[in-house]
Amino acid sequence: MYKAPLKDLRFVMHNLLGDDQLAGLPGLEEYSPDFTDSVLEEAGKFAEEVLQPINRVGDTRGAKWTAEGVVMPPEFKDAYAQFAAGGWAQLRASPEHGGQGAPTMLGTAVEELWASANLAFKLCPMLSQSAVEAIERCGTPQQKETYLPKMISGEWTGTMVLTEPQAGSDLAAIRTRAVREGDHYRLHGSKIFITYGDHDLTSNTIHLVLGRVEGAPAGVKGISLFIVPKVLVKADGSLGERNDVRCVSIEHKLGIHGSPTCVLSFGDKQGAVAYLVGEENRGLEYMFIMMNAARLSVGLEGYALAERSYQHALAYARTRVQGRPGGKSGPAEGKPLPIAYHQDIKRMLLTMKGYADAARAIALYAALQLDLGRRHTDESMRAAAQSRGDLLIPIVKGWSTEMGLLATSLGVQIHGGMGFIEETGAAQYYRDVRITTIYEGTTGIQAGDLIGRKVGRDAGAAMNALIADMLSDLDSLKGTPIGAAAIDAVRKLREATQDLLDAHRRGPEQPQAVAVPYLLLCGFAIGGWLMAKSDDLTRKNVTNDAEFNRSKQQIARAYVEHILPQAQAYAAVVKSGSTSIVDADPALF
Amino acid sequence: MYKAPLKDLRFVMHNLLGDDQLAGLPGLEEYSPDFTDSVLEEAGKFAEEVLQPINRVGDTRGAKWTAEGVVMPPEFKDAYAQFAAGGWAQLRASPEHGGQGAPTMLGTAVEELWASANLAFKLCPMLSQSAVEAIERCGTPQQKETYLPKMISGEWTGTMVLTEPQAGSDLAAIRTRAVREGDHYRLHGSKIFITYGDHDLTSNTIHLVLGRVEGAPAGVKGISLFIVPKVLVKADGSLGERNDVRCVSIEHKLGIHGSPTCVLSFGDKQGAVAYLVGEENRGLEYMFIMMNAARLSVGLEGYALAERSYQHALAYARTRVQGRPGGKSGPAEGKPLPIAYHQDIKRMLLTMKGYADAARAIALYAALQLDLGRRHTDESMRAAAQSRGDLLIPIVKGWSTEMGLLATSLGVQIHGGMGFIEETGAAQYYRDVRITTIYEGTTGIQAGDLIGRKVGRDAGAAMNALIADMLSDLDSLKGTPIGAAAIDAVRKLREATQDLLDAHRRGPEQPQAVAVPYLLLCGFAIGGWLMAKSDDLTRKNVTNDAEFNRSKQQIARAYVEHILPQAQAYAAVVKSGSTSIVDADPALF
């Protein structure tokens, strides 16, 4: 049974990162850590009581395609209705249109709970939130008035419609055609991999679609963003005719079976009615505005499933009695013991939790930077926080999801043979998490963004500023084993950053060949910093909870001894790993 | 389309490891590298043409339980009939009862092809082979005569029946009861996780079952091994009545759906007729005799799926055109290119193949040691080879399957969104391979065997002998980057071995806490040795195939730059990673 890790979240937000600095900022006048606590408590209940129990229903029964549209399991319809009624769709949306305007940091904390409890469900509000953000930031006043209130209340959902068969990571290849027709456009094209592209949870779905206006320039500079409602909205706000868009099929996937992944066909008949968002040919730019939020939200899925998988494995390890570990540890000398007392099981459990805790801390730190970047009263502070947030996003997305793969695999392993049996449930996390390193930009795409736009473009300024802050923060801990190990890892990151910048000067190929290893190194090292800091805080008893402190200290130590050595390995790869890749001839593979 | 990697196998067996040293040994008088080549060629055809095409059938339709027994897909029945008719079930069995007596090394090479083409199918002959070996080594002449000819011809299959709900890794907890009744016993008990425990591929299945004779001592010293035929065999060899054993259900699993994993109930009525193998209470000992072969065979599954997944991803990467990698590499300046030209895709492909090649080399080297240990004419050579083979088995089983997890995950990743779609096929390898680190003893069990029975018991003698041989072998390569890196990794293994032995003296817990990291270090370092050696041989052009040489050199370099740095990380974990685990209190998890 999943329990929302509220203590962990409170510790990270209040003690480790200090969310009180958000209180009173413009737009966050009402914010307080106490408010966060009450929201988290309610969200935790909803996750545990409503979303968790139907996670396996989503997996086993899943979404079903019919000629009339995608049919969701009734349990999902019911849960969605409760979700909307509870106001959860509003949390992060702007108050102008009925949202609660919660900071990104709190939104991130809450979304972890949805993702842990039921990843397939979580994707629906996540995509809606992205669509809301697109309209909030780039829509006309009339578009905002028409769509936002019902999307923010949860009465309607939204989607992001980007991918085409020939245009996956490379959006320049998009072909969907838009033809001007008075105040709107007619859209024709086929889109794939559209999450919640069709469903029966709500009466309408607002698609945000990338397409190309006839006569637009080739490549990314000719892409526009359109609003395409599934059902057209009349002037009085009521629903009119069905638009010319339909779900042709849904994918049969490795995981997240409860989330329909749709092939959408636009304009089979007269063309789908589409409304331009912002200006023509600036669609990709608008899309990138939302990308940070979406990538952060997928990043958290990595540790959300690590946490869920950890809790599942721990519960099993505490009850499965099997053999006796050597040595003296544990009660009842000589008798078989729960496997939680076996050293190798302890190693796996601590490693899983180490991944989850470090990734959560990094993600919430990144979210805090985005909030400060948007809200801080000081312009230079805003700029610094925004650039740090931007720097961290690909690391959160890439590292956290890659660690999610490792953690959920350990979760299966701890169950032994039972882990391979679907009814046990451990395998579902292993399957579900597998998409997280792929959608919203693969780990390779994140790493390219990191070394190009985030580290290369400013010649390492934002990264070196972060490194300097981490080292100064860790200076007082240099006498402790954990502090020393964290400092060592951050220094390796500093050297690797220099290596990478040097390689940049020799052209783009060499850094590309070690971009993912560099991204992973970033995650391990930044995680080391935050785990060392968290260890230090528990030693100073900031929580006033001795048991929690000791628990966190165990995990920090395991992180440093069992996970952080990976920083060495990846630093070595960054240092000398590019030529073996660049020189390799694909014809000889 | 899977292509059997015959060039790779020939290179490893003939050039890298020198299988000609087997020729002429007692029992291998007929053996020659040419014989191996012709067997591999035929096996490759069978794997490609018969087993590969039904791999997805096994996955999607799978085995079905009915009250009358498990029904296999008709395609599997047909393939099995061809398998038996082709004499493949005989390959490794002893000639006395119709086998071909092929060396373990050749058997290992051939089984890789079965596993790559169709893992679910491969498990059936693998389990039969284990059962044959048990009867060959421990059965009475009459048992041999009754069962072996038909099992070796493939007319009947065999199983290994060990696990019970409360007795997984801990076989001491076995409860299945055997009651003496004249010249046989009556067996009562429930067994789980029995691979091919029931099926309709053949007219009979011979179960080898662990049970406890009434009044036997508690624990592992009271376990006996029994032959329990599904259908009783009359004195004239014809089939008689059904025995009192039935398949109660089959598991719904993450992968290998074509392989029925059965719950077997023995003795619901009058008790299943069971024949003792060897002496009472020595069952576990007999089981361990076969364990090496079975663990080697599961180990090869790790790289078999890495290889298959690599081939699948490579084919996709060569045809999927998407974006343009930066820099100058590749043809057709300025145009989109197949993703095989993107540096990060090249990195993933080379990493996958590096895992497969290194693991294959280690496994075949281990198999060669087992052959020499059994056949060498010099007794001290036999003893040395046997102890080296014994040492390597847990490393092959543990490391190769763990690398299989990583490789198949990269295989999904290279496909991007398509990797998550089941029809693509990449996800099946990712699911299928997940059992390999679990069955026939988890990675943790292998690591415990390695540090206990294999390294601890002889105070590191066998391991240090291997290390000395590797270092002396690599000495001539110390001037090359690859040689130097391999030497460095082997030295780290030498230090870690010493660290481990020191920790042993402080009790069993500390080494247990770093047993898996130590096992992984062994794999990376031994792999480094064999990849460096292989690189050197291709530079000396032993193959007379310039393209093959360059291909292997690319992979060796990528292994050293991208995979071998893991040896550093795990050496650091072994050095300082035990206390964080041992000291951790499971109550605080």
Side-chain angles (χ1 to χ4, degrees), chain A residues 470-516:
Chain A
M470 293 194 288
L471 287 175
S472 110
D473 225 18
L474 288 166
D475 193 55
S476 66
L477 306 178
K478 67 185 170 213
T480 69
I482 290 182
I487 289 169
D488 183 57
V490 175
R491 284 192 181 140
K492 287 207 161 63
L493 174 57
R494 186 170 61 189
E495 285 162 38
T497 303
Q498 197 49 55
D499 291 341
L500 193 78
L501 291 167
D502 293 344
H504 259 296
R505 283 187 274 274
R506 297 190 298 270
E509 294 178 313
Q510 297 210 10
Q512 281 166 5
V514 293
V516 168

Side-chain angles (χ1 to χ4, degrees), chain B residues 223-280:
Chain B
I223 295 173
S224 303
L225 180 65
F226 299 92
I227 292 173
V228 183
K230 173 178 169 180
V231 184
L232 293 169
V233 181
K234 294 194 222 164
D236 66 357
S238 65
L239 293 181
E241 280 174 42
R242 273 293 297 260
N243 204 349
D244 185 11
V245 48
R246 64 193 180 93
C247 174
V248 179
S249 65
I250 64 174
E251 306 292 352
H252 171 222
K253 306 189 299 292
L254 174 60
I256 52 168
H257 299 156
S259 162
T261 302
C262 303
V263 177
L264 290 185
S265 184
F266 292 88
D268 286 353
K269 299 168 192 161
Q270 71 281 28
V273 174
Y275 308 100
L276 184 69
V277 177
E279 297 171 27
E280 279 184 8

Side-chain angles (χ1 to χ4, degrees), chain A residues 374-504:
Chain A
R374 188 171 167 195
R375 312 269 191 190
H376 203 284
T377 48
D378 180 281
E379 193 186 327
S380 70
M381 294 290 277
R382 275 205 306 277
Q386 184 66 45
S387 86
R388 182 160 298 179
D390 289 344
L391 171 73
L392 288 167
I393 293 300
I395 299 168
V396 169
K397 164 66 167 80
W399 189 73
S400 167
T401 57
E402 293 287 342
M403 297 309 107
L405 302 189
L406 301 180
T408 55
S409 182
L410 289 173
V412 171
Q413 189 71 16
I414 287 169
H415 286 82
M418 290 306 295
F420 201 63
I421 307 300
E422 284 289 358
E423 284 78 0
T424 305
Q428 186 188 340
Y429 314 135
Y430 179 71
R431 289 187 288 99
D432 284 355
V433 80
R434 193 63 196 81
I435 190 60
T436 63
T437 63
I438 296 174
Y439 62 13
E440 291 292 340
T442 61
T443 308
I445 295 286
Q446 304 305 320
D449 178 52
L450 175 65
I451 64 159
R453 274 184 289 273
K454 307 299 168 62
V455 173
R457 195 171 284 175
D458 73 356
M463 180 56 92
N464 282 321
L466 172 61
I467 289 170
D469 283 357
M470 293 194 288
L471 287 175
S472 110
D473 225 18
L474 288 166
D475 193 55
S476 66
L477 306 178
K478 67 185 170 213
T480 69
I482 290 182
I487 289 169
D488 183 57
V490 175
R491 284 192 181 140
K492 287 207 161 63
L493 174 57
R494 186 170 61 189
E495 285 162 38
T497 303
Q498 197 49 55
D499 291 341
L500 193 78
L501 291 167
D502 293 344
H504 259 296

Side-chain angles (χ1 to χ4, degrees), chain B residues 184-493:
Chain B
H184 59 267
Y185 295 72
R186 292 279 181 180
L187 216 65
H188 302 265
S190 186
K191 293 283 188 175
I192 62 169
F193 295 160
I194 310 307
T195 301
Y196 279 92
D198 196 53
H199 60 80
D200 58 357
L201 301 177
T202 55
S203 60
N204 203 3
T205 293
I206 309 305
H207 302 294
L208 282 158
V209 187
L210 288 184
R212 204 177 277 289
V213 176
E214 280 198 315
V220 294
K221 291 184 176 153
I223 295 173
S224 303
L225 180 65
F226 299 92
I227 292 173
V228 183
K230 173 178 169 180
V231 184
L232 293 169
V233 181
K234 294 194 222 164
D236 66 357
S238 65
L239 293 181
E241 280 174 42
R242 273 293 297 260
N243 204 349
D244 185 11
V245 48
R246 64 193 180 93
C247 174
V248 179
S249 65
I250 64 174
E251 306 292 352
H252 171 222
K253 306 189 299 292
L254 174 60
I256 52 168
H257 299 156
S259 162
T261 302
C262 303
V263 177
L264 290 185
S265 184
F266 292 88
D268 286 353
K269 299 168 192 161
Q270 71 281 28
V273 174
Y275 308 100
L276 184 69
V277 177
E279 297 171 27
E280 279 184 8
N281 302 334
R282 291 183 60 187
L284 212 67
E285 183 188 324
Y286 304 147
M287 203 52 97
F288 266 101
I289 294 174
M290 292 161 293
M291 212 58 113
N292 271 350
R295 289 182 169 177
L296 182 59
S297 189
V298 171
L300 70 85
E301 295 172 5
Y303 62 83
L305 285 185
E307 172 73 34
R308 175 87 191 255
S309 172
Y310 165 76
Q311 292 191 17
H312 201 280
L314 176 58
Y316 182 78
R318 283 193 166 143
T319 52
R320 169 71 172 169
V321 174
Q322 189 72 181
R324 170 138 194 110
K328 61 188 162 25
S329 66
E333 187 86 21
K335 292 241 173 75
L337 277 177
I339 60 171
Y341 286 92
H342 292 231
Q343 301 305 334
D344 190 53
I345 301 286
K346 288 166 71 181
R347 179 188 67 82
M348 290 192 275
L349 286 168
L350 287 164
T351 304
M352 292 175 78
K353 185 64 171 160
Y355 291 140
D357 279 9
R360 176 186 294 119
I362 302 175
L364 290 170
Y365 179 70
L368 174 63
Q369 302 308 312
L370 296 181
D371 285 324
L372 294 173
R374 187 170 169 197
R375 312 273 191 188
H376 203 284
T377 48
D378 180 280
E379 192 185 328
S380 70
M381 294 290 277
R382 275 205 305 281
Q386 184 67 46
S387 86
R388 182 160 298 179
D390 290 345
L391 172 71
L392 288 168
I393 292 300
I395 299 168
V396 170
K397 165 65 167 80
W399 189 74
S400 167
T401 57
E402 293 286 344
M403 297 308 107
L405 302 189
L406 301 181
T408 55
S409 181
L410 289 174
V412 171
Q413 189 72 17
I414 288 169
H415 285 82
M418 291 305 296
F420 201 64
I421 307 300
E422 284 289 359
E423 284 78 0
T424 305
Q428 187 188 339
Y429 314 133
Y430 179 72
R431 288 187 286 101
D432 284 356
V433 79
R434 194 63 197 81
I435 190 61
T436 63
T437 63
I438 296 173
Y439 61 13
E440 291 294 338
T442 62
T443 308
I445 294 286
Q446 304 304 319
D449 178 52
L450 176 66
I451 65 158
R453 274 184 290 272
K454 307 300 169 63
V455 173
R457 196 172 284 176
D458 73 357
M463 180 56 91
N464 283 322
L466 172 61
I467 289 169
D469 283 357
M470 294 194 287
L471 288 175
S472 112
D473 226 16
L474 287 167
D475 194 54
S476 65
L477 305 178
K478 67 186 169 211
T480 69
I482 290 181
I487 289 169
D488 183 58
V490 175
R491 284 192 182 141
K492 287 208 162 60
L493 174 58

Side-chain angles (χ1 to χ4, degrees), chain A residues 9 28 123 159 224 301 350 375 395 437 496 518:
Chain A
L9 282 165
L28 295 175
L123 296 174
T159 66
S224 303
E301 294 172 6
L350 287 164
R375 312 269 191 190
I395 299 168
T437 63
Y518 178 76

Side-chain angles (χ1 to χ4, degrees), chain A residues 56 60 164-171 173 192-193 251-256 261 310 314 318 320-329 336 340-341 343-347 349-350 402 405-406 408-410 412-413 416-423 427 430-435 437-438 442-445 508-509 512-514 516-517 547 550-551 554 557-558 561-563 565-566 568-570 572-573 576-589, chain B residues 56 60 164-171 173 192-193 251-256 261 310 314 318 320-329 336 340-341 343-347 349-350 402 405-406 408-410 412-413 416-423 427 430-435 437-438 442-445 508-509 512-514 516-517 547 550-551 554 557-558 561-563 565-566 568-570 572-573 576-589:
Chain A
R56 202 167 143 66
T60 50
E164 299 177 11
Q166 79 294 344
S169 295
D170 180 15
L171 293 171
I192 61 170
F193 294 161
E251 306 293 351
H252 172 222
K253 306 187 301 290
L254 174 60
I256 52 167
T261 302
Y310 165 78
L314 175 59
R318 282 193 167 142
R320 170 70 172 170
V321 173
Q322 189 71 180
R324 171 139 192 111
K328 59 188 165 26
S329 65
Y341 287 90
Q343 301 305 335
D344 190 53
I345 302 285
K346 288 165 71 180
R347 179 188 66 81
L349 286 167
L350 287 164
E402 293 287 342
L405 302 189
L406 301 180
T408 55
S409 182
L410 289 173
V412 171
Q413 189 71 16
M418 290 306 295
F420 201 63
I421 307 300
E422 284 289 358
E423 284 78 0
Y430 179 71
R431 289 187 288 99
D432 284 355
V433 80
R434 193 63 196 81
I435 190 60
T437 63
I438 296 174
T442 61
T443 308
I445 295 286
E509 294 178 313
Q512 281 166 5
V514 293
V516 168
E547 198 171 283
R550 284 170 55 214
S551 164
Q554 289 189 166
R557 216 173 138 196
E561 292 187 13
H562 284 262
I563 297 175
Q566 288 294 327
Q568 288 178 43
Y570 286 108
V573 174
S576 62
S578 35
T579 50
S580 60
I581 305 302
V582 174
D583 295 348
D585 179 357
L588 292 172
F589 279 9
Chain B
R56 202 168 144 67
T60 50
E164 300 178 10
Q166 78 295 343
S169 295
D170 180 15
L171 293 170
I192 62 169
F193 295 160
E251 306 292 352
H252 171 222
K253 306 189 299 292
L254 174 60
I256 52 168
T261 302
Y310 165 76
L314 176 58
R318 283 193 166 143
R320 169 71 172 169
V321 174
Q322 189 72 181
R324 170 138 194 110
K328 61 188 162 25
S329 66
Y341 286 92
Q343 301 305 334
D344 190 53
I345 301 286
K346 288 166 71 181
R347 179 188 67 82
L349 286 168
L350 287 164
E402 293 286 344
L405 302 189
L406 301 181
T408 55
S409 181
L410 289 174
V412 171
Q413 189 72 17
M418 291 305 296
F420 201 64
I421 307 300
E422 284 289 359
E423 284 78 0
Y430 179 72
R431 288 187 286 101
D432 284 356
V433 79
R434 194 63 197 81
I435 190 61
T437 63
I438 296 173
T442 62
T443 308
I445 294 286
E509 293 179 313
Q512 281 166 4
V514 293
V516 168
E547 197 171 285
R550 285 170 54 214
S551 165
Q554 289 189 166
R557 215 174 138 196
E561 293 187 13
H562 283 262
I563 298 175
Q566 289 294 326
Q568 288 178 43
Y570 286 108
V573 174
S576 62
S578 37
T579 50
S580 60
I581 306 302
V582 173
D583 294 349
D585 179 356
L588 292 172
F589 281 8

